[in-house]
Structure formats: C-alpha cells, structure tokens
Amino acid sequence: ILIVDDNPSMVKTLADILMVKGYEVYMAYSGAGALEILQSKSVDILLTDVKMPDMDGVTLYRETRKTHPNLITMLMTAYAADEIIQQGLAQGIKTVLTKPLDIDLLLMMLSAAKYIVKKGQ
C-alpha cells in the first residue's frame, strides 16, 4: 500500500496501523513523491489525500493509470462533495473515505481490495 498525504503525521499514523495489521506500506508526502516510489516499488493499492499542494489525488490517480493501470486507488478527504472527487469516481477511483478516517471501515475496504488484487493475479 502506498499512502500519500501532505500531512506527515497522518501518513505515519496510518502506516503504523497498517503495518501492525500485516500490510507492506510505503509513504509519500506529495504526488511527485508517490510517482517516484511507483517507479521502483510494487504497489497494489494507492491511498491518497485529495487536497495536496503539488497535485491533487485525482490528478495523481490519472498519472498512475499511465504506468499502473491495475492500481486500486482510494481517496481520503475532508471535502466529500468536491467536484474533483466526482470526476475521479467517474474515471475509476474505487472509493472515497472521509476524514477523520474510520479505521475499521478503511481496514474493511483494504481487505476487499486485497481480495480483488489476489483474484486478478
């Protein structure tokens, strides 16, 4: 799982929780940082914030589709009704999780995504 958010404490907290649950986690604090990680690491799930200074989460999703068409993408946001989120959902983003995150819901969504990844292999 690649976690992308411009809030380092958010990334670290999520990474700690997911690693305890057995996930392999990579961390990035910008869209550009995420794209750099994706050049060298095998990632099945992208969990990204929507609002970031360098590129929004939907733009990051569009960029990742060029090289990783099967990457499952989930957005995190405090702005659930944002128009850009609707565009992302229309283009294939799997889900939008609202902040503050419901960790149980996140874990359920990741478990479902993991099943999809395994099934596709």
Side-chain angles (χ1 to χ4, degrees):
I1 298 172
L2 173 56
I3 302 170
V4 189
D5 197 308
D6 58 325
N7 179 341
S9 62
M10 174 77 163
V11 173
K12 176 88 172 85
T13 300
L14 278 175
D16 288 347
I17 291 168
L18 296 178
M19 285 188 283
V20 164
K21 295 294 184 180
Y23 289 96
E24 185 175 351
V25 178
Y26 301 100
M27 299 177 281
Y29 308 104
S30 66
L35 292 173
E36 193 173 309
I37 289 170
L38 287 169
Q39 289 177 2
S40 61
K41 303 294 182 194
S42 176
V43 175
D44 297 317
I45 301 168
L46 173 65
L47 181 60
T48 183
D49 190 18
V50 173
K51 306 266 186 191
M52 296 183 289
D54 70 328
M55 96 174 48
D56 64 68
V58 175
T59 301
L60 174 58
Y61 167 73
R62 289 181 192 131
E63 288 299 311
T64 62
R65 300 296 289 170
K66 296 174 184 175
T67 55
H68 297 77
N70 297 322
L71 184 64
I72 295 172
T73 302
M74 299 180 187
L75 296 179
M76 304 179 287
T77 186
Y79 311 96
D82 199 321
E83 182 180 325
I84 195 155
I85 295 168
Q86 300 308 315
Q87 292 172 7
L89 288 168
Q91 294 171 8
I93 287 174
K94 297 302 178 204
T95 193
V96 179
L97 302 167
T98 54
K99 292 180 179 180
L101 293 180
D102 176 334
I103 297 301
D104 290 332
L105 177 61
L106 171 63
L107 293 172
M108 184 181 71
M109 298 300 294
L110 291 174
S111 180
K114 195 165 61 172
Y115 173 77
I116 292 168
V117 168
K118 283 183 181 177
K119 193 174 179 187
Q121 292 176 343

